[in-house]
């Protein structure tokens, strides 16, 4: 009788552990989804502001074309090419706003101060959103590598989480915290 009780307790403890692990994995996948949605929102915001600035007529024509094309490509890129398109937008932003003179030209235009502050805020938020997403992916991957999770297929049919790798270094003239952007 004692053996049966001990066996029942052991089975119960294993069941609780497996349930807890599966729940944790589910929460991590939900966190990845939320972080990806936040990252997508920040990337879309950055591309929209860049496109808006490119069409506002405050930049020189060559810079406007480069920025507009990169922002358009980032917004229209298929999922499998999104990282490359977003990296190209980052490079275009650095090329256009690498010098503070270009930022000052934007600020001098009517409504330009708000646009410059909004762009500076968005280029600072993209790396943070990407870091949150990639941290959640890293945690889920670590848990999914455990033997118990693999053997018992506790992840179900959820796809293996992938990090979002892109060049997200902001232009020096916009990354400066002293540019009037809200902290």
């Amino acid at each position: 009788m004692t053996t049966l009780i001990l066996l029942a307790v052991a089975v119960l403890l294993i069941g609780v552990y497996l349930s807890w692990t599966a729940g944790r994995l589910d929460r991590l996948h939900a966190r990845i989804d939320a972080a990806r949605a936040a990252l997508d929102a920040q990337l879309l915001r950055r591309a929209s502001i860049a496109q808006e600035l490119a069409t506002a007529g405050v930049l020189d024509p060559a810079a406007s074309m480069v920025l507009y094309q990169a922002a358009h490509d980032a917004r229209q890129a298929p999922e499998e090419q999104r990282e490359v398109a977003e990296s190209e937008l980052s490079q275009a932003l650095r090329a256009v706003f690498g010098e503070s003179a270009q930022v000052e030209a934007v600020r001098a235009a009517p409504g330009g101060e708000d646009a410059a502050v909004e762009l500076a805020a968005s280029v600072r938020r993209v790396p943070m959103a990407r870091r949150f997403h990639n941290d959640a992916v890293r945690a889920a991957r670590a848990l999914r590598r455990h033997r118990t999770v693999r053997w018992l297929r506790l992840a179900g049919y959820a796809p293996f989480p992938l990090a979002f790798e892109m060049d997200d270094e902001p232009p020096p003239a916009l990354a400066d915290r002293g540019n009037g952007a809200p902290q």
Side-chain angles (χ1 to χ4, degrees), residues 4-83:
L4 191 59
I5 292 174
L6 288 176
L7 184 62
V9 168
V11 167
L12 179 67
L13 288 176
I14 290 170
V16 167
Y17 171 75
L18 293 176
S19 175
W20 176 80
T21 303
R24 182 171 172 231
L25 193 55
D26 186 51
R27 288 188 302 276
L28 282 171
H29 282 160
R31 190 171 129 203
I32 290 170
D33 291 343
R36 180 59 189 244
L39 175 61
D40 286 342
Q42 290 303 323
L43 291 171
L44 180 63
R45 182 172 181 240
R46 180 180 77 153
S48 297
I49 296 167
Q51 230 174 359
E52 194 176 301
L53 276 174
T55 59
V58 295
L59 303 172
D60 63 83
S64 291
M65 287 299 292
V66 166
L67 193 58
Y68 181 84
Q69 190 61 48
H72 176 74
D73 291 348
R75 290 180 73 175
Q76 301 297 322
E79 191 59 37
E80 60 274 358
Q81 297 172 351
R82 182 107 187 261
E83 294 170 348

